[in-house]
Amino acid sequence: MTLTDALQAQHELQVKSFGSDPKTLNDEEKLEWVRWNMLALMDELHEALAETGWKPWAKSKHINRDAYVSELVDAFHFLMNLMLVV
């Protein structure tokens, strides 16, 4: 699957799930779309980080792989949403 294919699938998901086409938003709606997708993206990345033992001062050096990958998939959806409006 190419990035173009992934973006098309994401676009279809947004239209089917929420009944709104991100490609047809006016400027004000695009700004709101960007704001909440950016916040959601950052939150998902924080959730992914929480699935790792990233702290150099802590003893745990773990990665909860399945949960980590799941959070990154969620983050990728929000990143693609951001790409849909540009």
Side-chain angles (χ1 to χ4, degrees), residues 8 17 20 22 25 29-30 42 45 48 50 66 71 74 84:
Q8 180 60 37
S17 297
S20 177
L25 301 175
E29 293 167 330
K30 283 182 183 180
M42 291 186 304
L45 291 173
D66 290 343
E71 300 299 348
D74 292 346
L84 289 175

Side-chain angles (χ1 to χ4, degrees), residues 10 13-14 18 20-23 25 29-45 73-86:
Q10 182 68 18
L13 176 67
Q14 292 303 308
F18 302 105
S20 177
D21 186 344
K23 294 181 179 181
L25 301 175
E29 293 167 330
K30 283 182 183 180
L31 289 172
E32 182 65 12
W33 178 270
V34 167
R35 184 185 67 79
W36 76 258
N37 276 279
M38 185 65 74
L39 289 169
L41 171 60
M42 291 186 304
D43 188 59
E44 294 299 337
L45 291 173
V73 168
D74 292 346
F76 188 58
H77 281 284
F78 291 113
L79 178 61
M80 288 191 296
N81 279 348
L82 290 165
M83 294 165 71
L84 289 175
V85 297
V86 295

Side-chain angles (χ1 to χ4, degrees), residues 1-8 76 80 83:
M1 175 179 271
T2 68
L3 180 57
T4 301
D5 295 335
L7 287 170
Q8 180 60 37
F76 188 58
M80 288 191 296
M83 294 165 71

